[in-house]
Amino acid sequence: MGIQFDAKQQLFHLQAADTSYGLQVLESGYVVHLYWGRKINHLKASHWLQLGRDRSFSPNPDPTDRSYSLDWLPQEYPAYGNTDFRQPAIQIQLENGSTITDFKYESHRIIAGKPALDGLPSTYVEHADEAQTLQITLIDGLTGLKAVLTYTVYENHNVLTRSIRLINDGPQSLKVLRVLSMSIDLTGSGYELLQLSGAWARERYVEKRALVPGTQSIESRRGGSSHQQNPFIALLAKGSTEDHGDVYGFSLVYSGNFLASVEVDQFNTTRVGMGINPFDFSWLLEPGQSFQAPEVVMVHSANGLGGMSQTYHELYRTRLCRGTFRDQSRPVLINNWEATYFDFTADQIEQIAKAGKELGIELFVLDDGWFGRRNDDKTSLGDWFVNLEKLPDGLGNLAERITRLDMQFGLWFEPEMVSVISELYRTHPDWCLHVPNRTRSEGRNQLILDLSRSEVCDYIVNTVSGILNSAPITYVKWDMNRSMTEIGSASLPPERQRETAHRYMLGLYSVMERITSAFPHILFESCSGGGGRFDPGILHYMPQTWTSDNTDAVTRLKIQYGTSIVYPISSMGAHVSAIPNHQVHRNTSLQMRGDVAMSGNFGYELDLTKFTSDERELAKQQVALYKELRQFVQFGSFYRLLSPFEGNAAAWMFVSTDGQDCLVCYFQILCEPNEPKERIKLKGLDADAQYIWSGTDEIYGGDELMYGGFSLPALQGDYQSFLVRLKRV
C-alpha cells in the first residue's frame, strides 16, 4: 500500500485503495508515466514503456539517438519547446524573451499524510496514516527554476491528487505564462469525454462525445468556474456504463478561470491537462519567490461512472468540506425570495415564518433587500448596514421575532459586489475591478470589488462580521451574481495586471477562511446566480451550494442528476417554489416539486401564507418525511438508476450507511400512451437480505430487487413522481 520506490528501476508505484499509478525517472532525467488503473501488485518499467523507435519528424534532444524524442514520450509534466509539439503543462518566459525550459529530475521525498496548499483549498487528511505523499522536484538547469510535483494517494479511496509548486531559485525574474496542475499521457484514444456544461438556470448538463484526433477542451474565461462549464471532466473507456468499465475523473479544486484539455496525438496517445486557464494569465516570479497551483483530484473507477461518483461523493463530503456542519444534518428552511423579492416588511416576514413553523420548518432565511437602500437590484451592494425604512426596529429585532418561534434565522449577502449607486462606491470608486480609461461594464447593475487588494478584503470581513455579530444568525447564503469584465487592479503594476483574476481568487479564499472560521456556528451556503460557482474550491469553505436559480422540478431532474456526477447530495440546495415556475413558467404538482427537492438539502421558496389547506397538509407531510430521511439522503450512498438525458423518466436512490434504510425516487416527465411495461432495478442493497416496502407488508429479497427489479406503476399525466421507502428486515 501507499508509495513504493524501486531504486534500481527508478520507478515509483503509488497505490490508493484499489488503484495503481506508476511513473519512472529515465536516465535522461525526464519523468515518464507508466500506468494508471486497477491495482496491480508489481510494476515493471520495461513492460509499460517501449523505447527505441525512430519516428520521422519527431526531433531528438540527443542528436546521437534518433530513436528518442519527447514528441511521443509519455511525460508526467511536459514543458514547451524541446521536441514535444503537444500541449505543454508549463510555459515560462525568460528575461531575454525566450520561452524554452527543460525540466529534469533533481530529487524526491515520500512523506506521511498530505500537506496543505499555501493559500488554496484542497482535500485533506485528519490523520497522517490516511495518505502518503510523493514530492518530485524537477529543475530547469539554465534558469534554476524548480517544479515540485506533488502526488497524494489515499489509503481508503481510489484517489490520487496532484499539484505543482514553482520555486525560482535562479538569479533572474521569470514570467509564468502557463502552469497546469497536472498532465498525464494515456495509451490509446478509445475514450468518451464526459463534461458538465450548460448556462444560467441550466447548469451541469451531462454531455458525452467520442475523442477524435486533435484537441478538445472546456474552459472558463469568466472569472469564476461558471454556469457554462464545470471544472471537471471524465474519460470513459469504450463500453463503459453507469456500473461497468474503466472511468477516469479529473476535478479541479479551484473557483476561477480554468482549462481542462484533452489532446489525441498522431500516435493515438491521449494527453489530459487541467489547471488555471493560461488565457489572459501570467505571473511574475522574482528570485526567491514561489507559486502554488491548485489541486486536481483524480479518481479511477473500475465500476463505471457510478463508482467514480461515489468516490468523489465520499471524499468531498468528508475530506474537502470542513467545519461544524460537515457531518450534521441540514435544517429544512423557508426562503422569502420568490415570495416577496425586494418588497417586504418585518410583519410580512414574521407571517411567512409562522406559516413555516406550523409546517415543521426549522430555519427562516431573509434574502436580498434588507440592507442599505436596497429596494431593487440597482443600488446598495457594499453598504452592509440595515435598511431601517424596511426594518425600522433593526435586524436584531426581526431575528428575535423569528427565534421566538423556535426557528433559526438566516441571512443573504453578496459581499464580493458593489453597486454604482452606493455609499461604498462613492467613497472608494477605485475599489472595483477596472482598467483605466475603459468603460466599467455592469452586470445586474453592479461591479465587482477588487479582492486582490487587502484593504478591500478587510472591509468585507469587518462589515459582514459586524452584521453576523449583531443578531442570532445561524445560516448565511453567500451570493455572487456576475462574471468578470475589465479585469484589472489599481493596486498592481503593469507587469502584474494579468495576475489580477488569480489574486482575486486568493483574496476570496482568504476572506472565506477568515469569516467561516470566526463563525463556526453558522451554516454557509454558497451561490453564484445559483450554480455558477458550484466547484470543489468553494466547498472547502462552505459545505453546500445553491444548485441552481431554476427551481422548476422538471429541469431540476437534469441539473441535480448532472451535479451528482461529482458532487455529494449534502452539497446541493433544493427548494420547492411557486407555480407557474418563475424561471420556465411550468406548472407541476406540489407532490413532484417536493419529491425532487427532497433529493437534496430540502426547503421552500414561496409564500407559505398563500397555501390552501390541502397544500399545507401535504407540505407538513413532506417536511416530516424529509426529517426522517435526511440523514441518509444527505450522507448515505447515492445511486443513479435512470437518466433524464436518455429517456422520458429519471430515477435514483439512497441507501443509509448501515444499509438499513433505502429511498427510491422515480419521476415521469411526459405521459405516453400505451407505454411498454418497464422494470427498475435497484442498486446498493444486500443481496442476501430482505426488505419491507414501507406502508405495506410486502417483503422482497435484495437479490430480487437488484437483479429482477420491480414493475413501475402506471402514472397518469405529465410530471408525476413517487417515492418508495424500503427498510431492511
Side-chain angles (χ1 to χ4, degrees), residues 78-80 84-90 178 180 183-185 215-217 259-264 270-274:
Y80 170 76
D84 188 348
F85 297 99
R86 296 167 291 178
Q87 60 178 3
I90 188 168
R178 180 185 183 99
L180 300 186
S183 181
I184 188 172
D185 292 340
T215 301
Q216 33 262 272
S217 64
L259 172 68
S261 182
V262 183
E263 180 179 4
V264 176
T270 299
R271 173 169 288 180
V272 182
M274 179 177 269

Side-chain angles (χ1 to χ4, degrees), residues 358-604:
E358 291 172 0
L359 302 179
I361 293 174
E362 301 157 308
L363 165 67
F364 180 89
V365 180
L366 180 63
D367 212 283
D368 197 353
W370 58 267
F371 55 92
R373 295 171 179 81
R374 184 78 163 175
N375 296 313
D376 53 39
D377 63 4
K378 296 180 175 61
T379 181
S380 298
L381 287 173
D383 296 345
W384 299 113
F385 52 84
V386 178
N387 184 332
L388 294 178
E389 292 181 3
K390 238 179 244 188
L391 302 174
D393 296 319
L395 188 66
N397 173 266
L398 177 61
E400 289 173 8
R401 291 166 72 172
I402 301 300
T403 55
R404 278 200 297 267
L405 299 173
D406 193 27
M407 294 181 75
Q408 300 177 58
F409 181 71
L411 201 59
W412 178 95
F413 286 89
E414 194 171 0
E416 302 165 59
M417 300 293 146
V418 61
S419 302
V420 174
I421 304 174
S422 68
E423 293 186 15
L424 178 63
Y425 189 77
R426 282 192 293 271
T427 306
H428 298 287
D430 64 326
W431 273 17
C432 67
L433 294 176
H434 69 281
V435 174
N437 304 315
R438 296 289 183 186
T439 299
R440 300 184 181 189
S441 302
E442 295 180 31
R444 199 175 180 248
N445 305 298
Q446 60 198 51
L447 299 171
I448 303 177
L449 290 172
D450 182 1
L451 269 63
S452 73
R453 302 176 63 166
S454 60
E455 64 271 33
V456 176
C457 293
D458 290 343
Y459 173 82
I460 293 173
V461 172
N462 292 335
T463 54
V464 171
S465 297
I467 292 294
L468 297 181
N469 279 318
S470 71
I473 296 166
T474 59
Y475 169 99
V476 164
K477 181 179 179 182
W478 182 296
D479 213 342
M480 188 273 199
N481 277 310
R482 64 156 296 187
S483 299
M484 293 183 185
T485 56
E486 293 88 39
I487 302 175
S489 174
S491 68
L492 293 175
E495 65 273 17
R496 290 192 178 273
Q497 283 298 316
R498 293 178 72 183
E499 301 176 8
T500 304
H502 181 59
R503 287 184 179 274
Y504 179 99
M505 295 315 309
L506 297 177
L508 174 64
Y509 291 146
S510 173
V511 166
M512 287 185 167
E513 178 70 29
R514 292 164 66 185
I515 291 178
T516 58
S517 297
F519 298 93
H521 67 285
I522 293 179
L523 170 59
F524 287 85
E525 178 178 84
S526 70
C527 177
S528 179
R533 215 164 54 182
F534 202 134
D535 60 65
I538 300 296
L539 284 180
H540 188 66
Y541 305 96
M542 301 183 178
Q544 64 186 58
T545 299
W546 180 226
T547 314
S548 177
D549 279 348
N550 188 346
T551 50
D552 169 57
V554 176
T555 315
R556 271 298 186 109
L557 295 175
K558 289 185 174 180
I559 292 172
Q560 292 175 205
Y561 187 99
T563 303
S564 77
I565 297 291
V566 191
Y567 302 102
I569 303 303
S570 62
S571 68
M572 295 188 215
H575 297 172
V576 175
S577 62
I579 55 169
N581 175 263
H582 290 195
Q583 290 78 46
V584 301
H585 308 288
R586 192 186 341 255
N587 285 299
T588 54
S589 68
L590 181 58
Q591 180 71 50
M592 183 177 183
R593 282 176 279 155
D595 289 350
V596 173
M598 281 195 278
S599 296
N601 296 324
F602 183 59
Y604 293 83

Side-chain angles (χ1 to χ4, degrees), residues 60-290:
N60 314 111
D62 180 356
T64 67
D65 185 0
R66 291 185 56 180
S67 68
Y68 181 74
S69 175
L70 301 183
D71 195 30
W72 56 265
L73 203 67
Q75 298 169 74
E76 278 292 301
Y77 203 74
Y80 170 76
N82 188 12
T83 77
D84 188 348
F85 297 99
R86 296 167 291 178
Q87 60 178 3
I90 188 168
Q91 188 176 22
I92 305 294
Q93 187 175 48
L94 282 62
E95 287 182 346
N96 63 11
S98 67
T99 54
I100 310 301
T101 50
D102 192 21
F103 286 95
K104 295 187 177 182
Y105 172 87
E106 182 186 63
S107 63
H108 77 271
R109 66 175 186 147
I110 299 172
I111 57 179
K114 184 178 189 294
L117 302 187
D118 185 22
L120 287 167
S122 63
T123 56
Y124 60 90
V125 296
E126 292 186 338
H127 306 284
D129 59 1
E130 292 180 21
Q132 273 193 304
T133 297
L134 167 66
Q135 293 181 329
I136 299 177
T137 299
L138 310 179
I139 188 167
D140 176 56
L142 179 63
T143 62
L145 178 64
K146 293 182 178 180
V148 181
L149 309 183
T150 298
Y151 303 75
T152 295
V153 286
Y154 278 82
E155 176 81 14
N156 297 316
H157 304 285
N158 292 319
V159 170
L160 168 75
T161 69
R162 288 188 57 179
S163 63
I164 178 175
R165 185 175 183 85
L166 300 178
I167 304 170
N168 187 357
D169 276 353
Q172 64 174 298
S173 293
L174 304 171
K175 183 163 282 191
V176 181
L177 304 180
R178 180 185 183 99
V179 55
L180 300 186
S181 297
M182 57 73 57
S183 181
I184 188 172
D185 292 340
L186 300 173
T187 302
S189 60
Y191 300 100
E192 277 190 305
L193 171 63
L194 185 149
Q195 63 195 61
L196 303 176
S197 304
W200 173 79
R202 186 168 43 82
E203 298 93 340
R204 292 172 300 285
Y205 275 28
V206 177
E207 303 285 350
K208 287 195 288 188
R209 50 183 160 142
L211 296 184
V212 297
T215 301
Q216 33 262 272
S217 64
I218 61 168
E219 61 183 321
S220 173
R221 298 181 297 273
R222 296 171 176 267
S225 48
S226 84
H227 300 86
Q228 289 70 24
Q229 305 291 350
N230 197 261
F232 163 83
I233 58 172
L235 295 183
L236 285 64
K238 279 185 178 178
S240 295
T241 66
E242 182 71 21
D243 304 302
H244 304 286
D246 288 313
V247 174
Y248 302 86
F250 305 85
S251 176
L252 181 65
V253 186
Y254 189 61
S255 310
N257 293 333
F258 74 91
L259 172 68
S261 182
V262 183
E263 180 179 4
V264 176
D265 72 6
Q266 59 188 323
F267 307 118
N268 276 348
T269 296
T270 299
R271 173 169 288 180
V272 182
M274 179 177 269
I276 294 173
N277 197 334
F279 176 83
D280 201 41
F281 165 84
S282 67
W283 193 274
L284 183 62
L285 199 61
E286 296 177 342
Q289 292 184 340
S290 63

